[in-house]
Amino acid sequence: MKILLDGMGGDHAPEVIVEGAVAAAKEIKDQITIIGHEDKIRACLAKYGTISEKIEVIDASEEITNDEAPVKAVRTKKDSSIVKGLNMVKNKEADVLLSAGSTGALLAGGLFILGRIQGIDRPTLATVYPVIGMQPSLLVDTGANAECKPGNLLEFATMGSIYMEKVLKRENPTVGLVNNGTEEGKGTTLTKAAYELLSKSNLNFIGSIEARSLQDGICDIIVTDGFTGNAIIKLTEGMGLMVLREMKRRFLSTTKSKLGAVLLKDQLSEIKKEFNYAEYGGAPLLGVKGALLKMHGSSDALAVKQTIMKAIPYVEENVVDTIQNSVLEIEEILISE
């Protein structure tokens, strides 16, 4: 397997990209290739000695920043790390591309260069949603599609279920539709129509769910439009950071609380780890003709390593082909409407 890394994507590139690649290279046998400014990447690799010999570097003279218009950047910067990596995946020169760079550019490039899987109307970003003390859920969509049709939510649920089964190894995952109440028939025009479609599918659909229940692990696949999903994931991340920050402040406020913190050190570390998005790896872009994983822009080396580890079953379990094979079922449900 050949795993590609966008060496210039993210707030801390290429240093953390290289560090994460080196950490993963110690544990896997697959080929890791970093695309970007070769001199900068090799300078980072030089810090790690012989392990860097297991990592290939491909030069790319351009890079796409978050400030650029994604579509224009993809069309004009042919020698950027993202565009070059996408073309390698398209031409079967690599199996998967990982990037912490511009989300818009990766989405646009995925559509223009790789193309959608035939029968899929909208690709989706599927992000692992942390659930304290339990297995995490998978939230779809988290920003690829701000406005959706009911059929899109059925697609998201189907693709998310496939990824959950193949990569996260959870059989027959439950699916919940984010709504403003759990009663059947409640919600917007979109959620009412999506509820009907999901009910007719072969998915393990449990009905509508409220946002306050997400932290309880109420379902495995959380389905919503990209605008709502993006708000949910960012609110959860912000709340998690605020809670951890406040816990630290209060535990360090008195001598008595400091003693308590020492006694609870292991438990507090476990909670912090479960809140840390870096532990879960990047978000796959499901629905395009190739394996893509989007990492958080502020990803550290751990996040890069974990995303590489998730990329392996993503490719080995043929998630893209499985989604292609599920299209007929989706189409039959939509036609019946």
Side-chain angles (χ1 to χ4, degrees):
M1 186 186 305
K2 190 168 186 177
I3 300 168
L4 293 181
L5 279 173
D6 171 9
M8 310 314 296
D11 301 339
H12 310 294
E15 289 82 4
V16 299
I17 305 298
V18 171
E19 185 181 352
V22 169
K26 294 176 181 178
E27 299 182 20
I28 65 175
K29 297 179 180 180
D30 303 283
Q31 173 70 50
I32 297 177
T33 301
I34 306 176
I35 308 175
H37 296 312
E38 186 171 4
D39 291 345
K40 293 181 179 179
I41 293 169
R42 290 201 180 279
C44 294
L45 281 170
K47 300 176 184 178
Y48 297 96
T50 56
I51 189 66
S52 63
E53 296 175 3
K54 297 176 64 177
I55 299 172
E56 181 186 5
V57 181
I58 294 178
D59 187 52
S61 61
E62 299 176 300
E63 60 183 282
I64 297 175
T65 67
N66 290 321
D67 299 326
E68 297 179 80
V71 174
K72 181 180 179 181
V74 168
R75 287 177 173 169
T76 59
K77 292 191 170 182
K78 304 296 184 182
D79 201 48
S80 63
S81 50
I82 287 180
V83 173
K84 206 162 186 176
L86 287 168
N87 277 307
M88 288 182 68
V89 173
K90 178 183 179 180
N91 297 328
K92 309 298 182 184
E93 299 173 82
D95 297 289
V96 59
L97 172 65
L98 288 57
S99 177
S102 166
T103 301
L106 193 66
L107 292 175
L111 288 170
F112 296 149
I113 297 173
L114 299 179
R116 289 174 298 168
I117 290 174
Q118 187 175 0
I120 295 295
D121 182 46
R122 302 275 188 88
T124 182
L125 272 174
T127 301
V128 171
Y129 187 86
V131 180
I132 301 302
M134 299 173 63
Q135 291 181 311
S137 301
L138 190 70
L139 176 59
V140 288
D141 178 39
T142 55
N145 308 279
E147 297 181 2
C148 297
K149 296 177 288 187
N152 299 143
L153 300 192
L154 174 62
E155 292 175 348
F156 301 164
T158 302
M159 293 188 287
S161 294
I162 290 169
Y163 184 81
M164 175 67 81
E165 289 183 332
K166 297 290 187 178
V167 178
L168 303 182
K169 305 301 182 184
R170 211 170 307 172
E171 293 184 10
N172 196 27
T174 54
V175 176
L177 176 66
V178 175
N179 211 335
N180 64 338
T182 58
E183 302 89 345
E184 185 176 350
K186 197 166 186 178
T188 64
T189 301
L190 172 64
T191 55
K192 289 176 183 178
Y195 188 103
E196 292 297 320
L197 294 177
L198 289 166
S199 297
K200 294 178 180 179
S201 73
N202 291 325
L203 300 171
N204 190 3
F205 181 53
I206 63 169
S208 291
I209 56 175
E210 293 180 313
R212 67 179 179 180
S213 300
L214 302 183
Q215 298 79 18
D216 298 326
I218 190 171
C219 61
D220 297 311
I221 311 297
I222 305 164
V223 181
T224 187
D225 62 90
F227 183 90
T228 305
N230 191 266
I232 288 173
I233 202 73
K234 287 181 178 176
L235 175 62
T236 302
E237 182 179 334
M239 288 293 292
L241 291 172
M242 182 272 291
V243 169
L244 291 173
R245 186 171 60 247
E246 186 63 16
M247 286 174 61
K248 181 178 180 180
R249 186 186 70 80
R250 296 199 181 193
F251 271 119
L252 296 178
S253 61
T254 66
T255 302
K256 184 177 179 180
S257 62
K258 288 178 183 178
L259 291 173
V262 172
L263 295 174
L264 296 172
K265 180 181 178 181
D266 292 342
Q267 290 82 355
L268 293 172
S269 295
E270 288 174 4
I271 293 174
K272 183 178 180 180
K273 183 177 180 179
E274 290 182 49
F275 262 126
N276 186 6
Y277 69 84
E279 295 284 347
Y280 303 105
L285 178 60
L286 305 174
V288 294
K289 296 178 183 177
L292 300 180
L293 283 158
K294 174 65 179 72
M295 296 180 285
H296 201 295
S298 60
S299 289
D300 58 13
L302 174 62
V304 175
K305 177 196 170 185
Q306 293 295 79
T307 305
I308 292 172
M309 305 308 285
K310 285 290 189 299
I312 295 171
Y314 187 6
V315 175
E316 288 181 341
E317 296 291 340
N318 298 312
V319 171
V320 174
D321 290 340
T322 305
I323 290 173
Q324 175 67 75
N325 295 333
S326 72
V327 168
L328 183 59
E329 179 191 338
I330 297 173
E331 290 179 339
E332 288 176 350
I333 295 171
L334 295 177
I335 291 171
S336 69
E337 288 296 301

